[in-house]
Amino acid sequence: MKQNNVIFIALFVVVFSFIQKKNIQAQEKQFKVVSVAFYNLENLFDTIDTPDKNDVEFLPDGDYKWDTKKYNSKLEKMSEVIAQIGADVTKSAPSVIGVSELENRKVLEDLVNMPLLKNYNFDIVHYESPDRRGVDVALLYQPSVMKVINTRSATLKIKGQDGFFTRDQLVVSGIIDGETIHFIVNHWPSRTGGEKTSRPLRNAAADLTRSLVDSIMTTDPNAKIIVMGDLNDDPHNESLIKHLKAKKTIDETKPGELYNCMYDLYKKGVGTLAYRDAWNIFDQLIVSYPLIAKDQQGFKLYRTRVFDKDFLKNESGKYKGYPKRTHAGGVYQNGYSDHFPVYLLLTKEIN
């Protein structure tokens, strides 16, 4: 049976009062719904030695003793998660999902062909990055929902640091139900060496993302853009506030600006990963003004969530409630990822 993530559901009930007969009539509005997600897959490596990749830990004779059984279990668990993101509303896997920490296109092909995902016929947008760890970002999408019209990969270059290499930023433009929506998938530099020491790298990554956004807006000031990724910073950090210039609330977001969908969740203590007894929300979804503007037609932001179901968490011990990882402290846990996925729902009224 063909599955399609653009579905018709009644989300809102608008009540009209008619004074003449003193009665109340209710009329349901119908909406098309599209789910968009991001998931850090935590080291989705195959078992094959690739000379230009730093994959020695993820080989059968490497530190993690990474073999076919473990690889297949990892694929099964990743597909289990992706199939459920937002499905309580859409009854489907996400229409579009950005992913990070993957070795190559082959691991994505293996992933989308897992039994739980195969029927969605996911297509893949992927470029090899110059990252020293050998990991990339990518976009998976259902071709029955979106038609891709343009893609590009942007490399982050740091002035005076010719030896610095990190993940490229992926830009994908597609048409969903007649509307063009742009996606920018990120995995900004980590906090290795400390948050303060590594801060300039993430600020530079934010500057690059902002330039990509501005480039799109120069062509179309009303462009609908979704920035997503593992940003290795929280919504209040200067990379988001001063460099990407993502606003904290819908009310303060103006035309030409970006709204950080995760800020309110962050204030409430919601997180996507935990470190040293503190929660962070590094995995973020950020949208351009036309996706929240009341006077705009077409798809609009409905809600944003962290997908943190109990099955993704450690059930006991010191790290109870934390994301259950594939490896922890070098020990195989047969878990999912050290990050929870995030997702948003776009809705469009059916006239």
Side-chain angles (χ1 to χ4, degrees):
M1 180 176 66
K2 184 176 180 181
Q3 303 186 48
N4 193 321
N5 207 24
V6 179
I7 59 175
F8 300 91
I9 64 174
L11 290 179
F12 306 101
V13 176
V14 179
V15 179
F16 297 93
S17 296
F18 295 90
I19 300 176
Q20 289 182 341
K21 294 185 179 180
K22 296 183 180 181
N23 68 329
I24 296 175
Q25 295 180 347
Q27 176 181 336
E28 286 190 347
K29 288 186 176 181
Q30 288 189 320
F31 290 79
K32 292 181 179 179
V33 183
V34 170
S35 60
V36 177
F38 174 81
Y39 194 16
N40 181 321
L41 303 176
E42 193 195 15
N43 297 321
L44 181 56
F45 280 80
D46 61 26
T47 63
I48 302 169
D49 186 9
T50 306
D52 60 346
K53 294 279 187 176
N54 186 13
D55 61 356
V56 292
E57 291 180 314
F58 292 92
L59 297 174
D61 58 353
D63 291 346
Y64 292 130
K65 306 299 180 187
W66 195 243
D67 55 23
T68 300
K69 181 178 179 181
K70 291 179 180 178
Y71 176 58
N72 287 337
S73 178
K74 176 77 170 179
L75 292 172
E76 181 180 353
K77 290 184 177 299
M78 295 296 91
S79 66
E80 178 187 359
V81 178
I82 292 171
Q84 295 185 53
I85 298 173
D88 58 326
V89 173
T90 65
K91 311 304 179 187
S92 169
S95 303
V96 178
I97 177 167
V99 288
S100 68
E101 283 202 18
L102 54 109
E103 184 182 9
N104 50 40
R105 184 182 180 91
K106 180 61 168 60
V107 299
L108 294 175
E109 291 173 349
D110 291 343
L111 175 61
V112 300
N113 279 300
M114 294 298 291
L116 289 175
L117 299 180
K118 190 175 180 61
N119 287 342
Y120 295 108
N121 298 311
F122 277 108
D123 263 349
I124 300 165
V125 181
H126 167 262
Y127 291 83
E128 288 289 340
S129 289
D131 178 67
R132 285 192 177 279
R133 286 192 58 231
V135 292
D136 309 322
V137 299
L139 191 83
L140 311 177
Y141 67 96
Q142 295 187 42
S144 61
V145 177
M146 183 172 79
K147 177 184 178 182
V148 169
I149 55 175
N150 190 50
T151 71
R152 63 170 293 204
S153 190
T155 299
L156 176 62
K157 298 180 180 179
I158 307 294
K159 187 176 181 180
Q161 297 191 41
D162 294 339
F164 173 77
F165 299 100
T166 190
R167 282 75 59 176
D168 282 356
Q169 298 186 15
L170 176 63
V171 184
V172 179
S173 302
I175 297 176
I176 301 177
D177 198 48
E179 291 187 54
T180 299
I181 302 180
H182 309 272
F183 303 90
I184 304 177
V185 188
N186 296 268
H187 188 184
W188 289 358
S190 73
R191 294 187 169 193
T192 300
E195 187 277 327
K196 185 176 181 180
T197 300
S198 59
R199 187 184 303 163
L201 301 178
R202 288 183 298 284
N203 290 345
D207 289 337
L208 175 58
T209 306
R210 183 71 227 194
S211 72
L212 295 172
V213 169
D214 290 342
S215 177
I216 295 170
M217 288 185 176
T218 297
T219 303
D220 178 10
N222 292 314
K224 294 186 175 183
I225 304 169
I226 300 176
V227 176
M228 63 174 73
D230 174 1
L231 308 185
N232 276 303
D233 267 339
D234 285 312
H236 76 282
N237 287 124
E238 67 178 45
S239 60
L240 278 301
I241 300 296
K242 295 182 179 179
H243 293 263
L244 187 60
K245 302 175 183 176
K247 301 299 181 181
K248 302 175 184 179
T249 66
I250 288 178
D251 289 342
E252 68 178 308
T253 308
K254 307 301 180 186
E257 296 181 337
L258 300 172
Y259 163 62
N260 194 332
C261 308
M262 315 306 293
Y263 201 93
D264 188 53
L265 292 171
Y266 174 70
K267 284 176 59 180
K268 293 176 180 178
V270 177
T272 59
L273 73 159
Y275 180 66
R276 292 182 177 176
D277 298 323
W279 282 92
N280 297 98
I281 195 160
F282 288 174
D283 306 87
Q284 298 182 45
L285 294 161
I286 300 161
V287 302
S288 61
Y289 177 79
L291 283 168
I292 57 171
K294 294 179 180 179
D295 60 347
Q296 290 285 332
Q297 300 298 312
F299 284 111
K300 294 181 183 179
L301 175 68
Y302 171 55
R303 78 178 188 194
T304 310
R305 293 287 186 270
V306 174
F307 186 79
D308 56 357
K309 299 295 185 182
D310 287 343
F311 76 91
L312 293 172
K313 303 174 184 178
N314 289 314
E315 297 176 355
S316 61
K318 179 180 179 181
Y319 301 108
K320 181 179 180 180
Y322 285 23
K324 187 175 182 181
R325 306 179 57 175
T326 304
H327 294 93
V331 179
Y332 182 59
Q333 304 290 315
N334 195 25
Y336 295 84
S337 171
D338 55 346
H339 293 245
F340 295 137
V342 294
Y343 70 99
L344 58 78
L345 298 178
L346 301 177
T347 60
K348 179 179 185 178
E349 186 176 349
I350 303 167
N351 296 322

